Amino acid sequence: MPERITVVGIGADGWAGLSEDARAAITAAGVVIGAPRHLEMLPAVDGQTRRSWPSQLRAGLPALFDGLAGPVVALASGDPLRSGVATTLIEVFGADAVTVFPALSSVTLARARLGWSAESTAVIRAGDEHAVLRELAPGRRVLVLSADETTPARVAGLLVGRGYGASRMTVLGELGGDAESRLDMTAETFTGAMPRLNIVALELAGPPAFGWAPGLPDDAYDHDGQLTKRDLRASALARLAPAPGQLLWDVGAGAGSVGIEWMRAHPTCRTVAVEANPDRAQRISNNARNLGVPALKVVRGAAPDALMDLPQPDAVFVGGGLSRPGVLSACLAALRAGGRLVAHAVTLETEALLAQAYREHGGELTRIQVEHAAPLGSFTGWKPARAVTQWALTLP
């Protein structure tokens, strides 16, 4: 690969909108890489090679850059470090190998057109429009980066389906270019052809939604009974302690509720849900989309074998499969320093496993009994749920 890659952000105004330094970098480059629409914006340069990005970007980068020598320029939309290709290049090749010339991002331009401050506005990445469901709250401002001209209609459908049809939608097209456009409507009145390059601005109007605290109602989930109930879920997540950028393994995930609420705690939280049952695995994906965290990853398989090639977790929740030999030890061994583990047991056999783990490793061993008021003849009495033993451990 070349010693240095220069990433140039380019807007809808193309070559005319670039700085002198960015133009000079492109003119001096032996190779320029970019999307076809970006490459078409550049003037011809004698002897310069131009290539398109591979369809599988991250996996194709080493082969794309292999053997390239001399100055190489990569083109990206707007700010290349806002959900852009520069972030991926730095992750693959290192920060010392990449120089970035940013342009104004579509997010910055959209906020400028609308008069919205950065601190008052949430941003949803392209292709993740279901993530808008995490943001549902009256008065919330959201910008959705569109994958193409079909994104606004899908966003409108999601909002109408959740009782947010009165939300104001503004579709801004070709921001910064000669063909810049603006369409104003509500989600329930959405209609018309959309520009391919667009960003959707939302001012949400609808009923109070779930919020981000752990312990969503059980009926928020589609499940077959394999669900960590809300009071136990809130207790587990309090000990798992979601933090920005951290990864959770949700082992024996069932309906995926713990992993989903881990991700709802912060937009950068990540979850890998491990589930052997194929119907439940599909149910986890559906629940994740419906609750605004479509990026949750589901791995089909049984622990401990299914854990072998997963990225190292910051926290692990074991909600099922605890009786399988090696599951608990594999989860403990995988945790990084400062990692947290929470495991639940409902049988005498798995409770004995947690009691032994508590004797060996310490931590916190708790038995939780929850009772709910329910009809008792013509009166009301307490209906107990099955008691659950919870073991929680934080590594040094």
Side-chain angles (χ1 to χ4, degrees), residues 48-83:
Q48 187 176 80
T49 299
R50 295 182 176 176
R51 297 183 178 180
S52 296
W53 294 112
S55 56
Q56 299 295 322
L57 179 62
R58 190 182 186 93
L61 284 179
L64 179 66
F65 283 90
D66 185 39
L68 296 184
V72 175
V73 166
L75 302 178
S77 296
D79 181 353
L81 286 168
R82 178 180 281 277
S83 301

Side-chain angles (χ1 to χ4, degrees), residues 6-55:
T6 300
V7 184
V8 174
I10 189 167
D13 50 359
W15 182 259
L18 296 177
S19 67
E20 289 300 321
D21 288 342
R23 291 185 185 185
I26 292 172
T27 302
V31 178
V32 177
I33 302 168
R37 67 183 181 87
H38 289 149
L39 295 173
E40 291 170 0
M41 295 176 174
L42 307 183
V45 176
D46 289 341
Q48 187 176 80
T49 299
R50 295 182 176 176
R51 297 183 178 180
S52 296
W53 294 112
S55 56

Side-chain angles (χ1 to χ4, degrees), residues 195-210:
R196 181 168 180 78
L197 295 178
N198 70 83
I199 185 169
V200 182
L202 304 172
E203 290 183 281
L204 297 177
F210 290 133

Side-chain angles (χ1 to χ4, degrees), residues 133 136 154-165 187:
L133 299 178
L136 293 182
R154 291 197 297 273
V155 171
L158 289 171
L159 295 177
V160 170
R162 294 303 179 88
Y164 273 71

Side-chain angles (χ1 to χ4, degrees), residues 80-320:
L81 286 168
R82 178 180 281 277
S83 301
V85 71
T87 303
T88 304
L89 290 171
I90 289 170
E91 290 174 353
V92 173
F93 299 119
D96 292 340
V98 180
T99 299
V100 180
F101 290 107
L104 289 175
S105 70
S106 58
V107 169
T108 299
L109 290 170
R111 289 192 292 98
R113 301 294 188 267
L114 298 164
W116 292 3
S117 66
E119 58 270 19
S120 70
T121 308
V123 179
I124 304 299
R125 297 185 308 172
D128 279 358
E129 60 263 15
H130 274 83
V132 76
L133 299 178
R134 177 185 175 272
E135 305 295 333
L136 293 182
R140 182 78 163 148
R141 289 174 171 174
V142 182
L143 292 174
V144 182
L145 303 175
S146 290
D148 54 35
E149 67 274 17
T150 66
T151 299
R154 291 197 297 273
V155 171
L158 289 171
L159 295 177
V160 170
R162 294 303 179 88
Y164 273 71
S167 299
R168 180 181 175 186
M169 289 183 64
T170 301
V171 180
L172 300 165
E174 301 283 352
L175 278 168
D178 294 337
E180 182 172 322
S181 63
R182 173 172 177 159
L183 296 168
D184 291 286
M185 65 207 80
T186 64
E188 59 194 358
T189 62
F190 177 87
T191 188
M194 299 293 116
R196 181 168 180 78
L197 295 178
N198 70 83
I199 185 169
V200 182
L202 304 172
E203 290 183 281
L204 297 177
F210 290 133
W212 298 338
L216 299 187
D218 293 341
D219 60 10
Y221 296 93
D222 178 23
H223 64 91
D224 61 0
Q226 294 299 308
L227 173 74
T228 302
K229 302 301 192 291
R230 69 184 304 182
D231 298 293
L232 295 164
R233 194 183 325 133
S235 176
L237 282 157
R239 291 161 174 81
L240 291 167
Q246 293 198 338
L247 172 67
L248 172 76
W249 286 0
D250 186 356
V251 179
S257 61
V258 171
I260 287 169
E261 293 186 29
W262 168 279
M263 290 185 67
R264 284 176 62 87
H266 192 272
T268 63
C269 285
R270 297 166 294 136
T271 292
V272 175
V274 179
E275 175 54 56
N277 183 290
D279 292 335
R280 290 174 186 161
Q282 183 58 54
R283 195 176 286 118
I284 293 167
S285 294
N286 295 342
N287 283 331
R289 284 194 299 273
N290 291 335
L291 289 165
V293 289
L296 182 148
K297 181 180 179 181
V298 179
V299 172
R300 276 188 53 189
D305 294 344
L307 310 177
M308 295 296 292
D309 297 322
L310 301 184
Q312 187 176 24
D314 300 284
V316 176
F317 176 70
V318 186

